[in-house]
Amino acid sequence: MSKRPEVEVPGVKSRPCYGSVQLQPRARLHLFIYQPDAQAQLQPLIESVDPSSCLQFEVAGTALAPALVDALQSAPLASAIYLAGDESFLWDMRNLVRGNGFTERQIAMLQPLNSARRVFCTHCYTLTEGVTHSPMVCSGCQRPLLVRDHFSRLHGAYVGVQINAEDPEDLPQEEPLS
Amino acid sequence: MSADKIEVRVAAIAQVAPLIREFRLEAVDGVLPAFAPGSHVVVEMPAQPRPHRNAYSLLSDPRDPSAYRIAVRKQEQSRGGSLFMHEQVSEGDLLKITPPANLFTPSWYAKRHLLIAGGVGITPFLSFLPELRRRGAEFELHYLYRGSQTGAYSDELAAELGSALQRYDSEQACRCDLGELLARQKPGTHVYICGPQSLIDGVCSTARELGWPEDAVHYEAFAAPAPGNPFRVELARSGRVVEVDSDTTLLEALESAEVDVPNLCRGGVCGQCATRVLEGSIEHRDTYLSADDKARQDCIMPCVSRAADDRLKLDL
Ligand code: FES
């Protein structure tokens, strides 16, 4: 039917890659779920569907509006879901939607809004949001972490590992993440 | 089949429908490996001039390590595997099987499971049911059969499942309206089909028309490879030539010639046996390769597919 929403980048095993998103032509209901700044990204898709078969939800923060919860529970089997926002939002929503019984192919993720990453510390398991540079400091254990391209779909996060455990003074230069 | 075959003893045989027999297989040594719902094994039957090897779904409870149970439908037009099971195998006989492999497993993301079985296609679902019930999963089973031939376990299932089972005996003019059945399914439902290709095609096209996502539709075909014209294969690496007669599959002919080709389903589904073709045109009969792959004519699934003419040259 449609392309898988994400494919693997060759060589880097688990970094998700976001292709272009097309409307799923056979869907009876199109649900657009986005963060406040990401609606513009979805606009061309939204405009191409009949308003009577389209629902839009803006999600700020982590709380889901009861209307969205209802919509997910009552959406027909022939529904398509389109997600836009930053990368951790995309994966949190995807996991939530999957938990409601939607399949992989029903969910399309747009290009993340920015390059900020959520990082999962492999030492204390704390998640640090909005990381833009590597190395970074873990918000849980304060260890200096190197941000890897290894991505956990469950956490919507990249793995952070302590650099140079013997000599924490000897840190590599900070570089922006792409 | 590779070296890790398991030797089993036929502990019991039961006629479970006019054309279906059940075989209870127990390990000769040690215990049988655990398996996941929907798994199958390939049974090797000591026939002459070459063994038959057919894949059968395990229908026992996956948590029961004491035996595997399989059910075999007698296919008069088949190349002999099912007839051998029906006519030559007795209690106490020894057979060889592969360890269980699984190509048809429940999706545990689903909110509900709609199971559709046709005839002997009930078998994989018998291993689904104990697991679905242990997990408290919501499901319904729709069972289509012809009372004078198949319909195995139908009364036991009715007693056990109550309203979660719908039976359709086509000889009692009881038909299943697939359009209506699929249209009333709730969100989060996955559908599983095991049965003849016509049933699988019917459900798949109905689901597509309704706009269901493709990955909510799961199926397993159990068609045995059909006979075809005889042909000859040349093995490019060894320079050998192998003849394939009309009742033998290419995979079987290669096995008889002791050429090892990995395989799992022996039904053109899994893609394990993919072999490169250097010359000759292929009659594709598998459901694994895409239409584009097939058109390239450079790869064959020897478990079901054959030469379109009288020869093939393989990269073996
Ligand atoms: S063994 Fe599965 S496709 Fe041939």
Side-chain angles (χ1 to χ4, degrees), chain B residues 98-165:
Chain B
T98 58
N102 197 343
L103 302 168
F104 189 56
T105 181
S107 162
W108 297 116
Y109 270 111
K111 289 279 175 214
R112 298 182 73 253
H113 307 266
L114 172 64
L115 316 178
I116 304 179
V120 74
I122 191 67
T123 49
F125 297 132
L126 296 172
S127 72
F128 276 40
L129 293 173
E131 196 58 34
L132 289 170
R133 301 176 87 188
R134 272 193 287 269
R135 294 183 184 229
E138 226 186 287
F139 67 90
E140 46 186 272
L141 170 60
H142 294 258
Y143 187 10
L144 292 69
Y145 53 85
R146 281 160 160 253
S148 67
Q149 299 180 349
T150 57
Y153 314 109
S154 142
D155 291 339
E156 294 93 310
L157 286 168
E160 204 181 308
L161 302 179
S163 63
L165 173 73

Side-chain angles (χ1 to χ4, degrees), chain B residues 251 262-274 288 301-304:
Chain B
L251 178 62
N263 63 87
L264 207 54
C265 70
R266 303 180 78 90
V269 180
C270 70
Q272 278 285 315
C273 65
Y288 176 77
M301 299 295 148
C303 59
V304 289

Side-chain angles (χ1 to χ4, degrees), chain A residues 120-133:
Chain A
F120 174 80
C121 174
T122 53
H123 310 280
C124 75
Y125 311 141
T126 302
L127 295 169
T128 304
E129 301 285 345
V131 175
T132 54
H133 287 75

Side-chain angles (χ1 to χ4, degrees), chain A residues 3 18 29-30 32 55 60 65 71 74 80 87 118-119 133 158:
Chain A
K3 266 183 39 186
Y18 306 85
L29 178 69
H30 302 268
F32 297 92
L55 290 174
S74 60
E87 192 170 35
R118 176 187 284 161
V119 175
H133 287 75
Y158 292 87

Side-chain angles (χ1 to χ4, degrees), chain A residues 15-18 41 84-88 90-91 109-116 158:
Chain A
R15 173 141 204 215
C17 150
Y18 306 85
Q41 230 187 331
D86 57 39
E87 192 170 35
S88 50
L90 296 179
W91 289 88
M109 290 191 266
L110 276 77
Q111 199 70 39
L113 215 47
N114 51 51
S115 59
Y158 292 87

Side-chain angles (χ1 to χ4, degrees), chain B residues 46-121:
Chain B
Q48 289 303 329
R50 55 167 180 82
H52 296 298
R53 293 190 180 92
N54 283 6
Y56 295 108
S57 297
L58 297 177
L59 56 90
S60 27
D61 183 337
R63 296 224 186 148
D64 174 6
S66 67
Y68 290 160
R69 291 188 294 136
I70 58 170
V72 179
R73 184 197 199 282
K74 191 169 176 177
Q75 310 274 6
E76 298 290 351
Q77 285 94 326
S78 86
R79 299 165 315 108
S82 74
L83 282 182
F84 188 94
M85 289 299 285
H86 273 254
E87 289 165 4
Q88 313 280 319
V89 175
S90 341
E91 291 180 358
D93 284 0
L94 298 182
L95 294 169
K96 286 185 183 131
I97 61 173
T98 58
N102 197 343
L103 302 168
F104 189 56
T105 181
S107 162
W108 297 116
Y109 270 111
K111 289 279 175 214
R112 298 182 73 253
H113 307 266
L114 172 64
L115 316 178
I116 304 179
V120 74

Side-chain angles (χ1 to χ4, degrees), chain A residues 1-2 24 26-28 72-79 94-95 98-106, chain B residues 107 109-111 182 184-190 205 207-218:
Chain A
M1 218 166 274
S2 70
Q24 300 204 20
R26 287 182 190 271
R28 301 279 196 274
L72 290 176
Q73 274 161 14
S74 60
L77 250 158
S79 297
R94 169 198 178 265
N95 291 340
R98 291 281 278 136
N100 274 274
F102 289 85
T103 70
E104 204 71 61
R105 295 227 186 178
Q106 284 178 288
Chain B
S107 162
Y109 270 111
K111 289 279 175 214
L182 265 61
R184 70 172 156 80
Q185 294 305 315
K186 288 191 247 158
T189 302
H190 281 231
S205 66
R208 203 174 313 117
E209 275 157 35
L210 290 169
W212 283 32
E214 243 170 44
D215 52 354
V217 181
H218 314 266

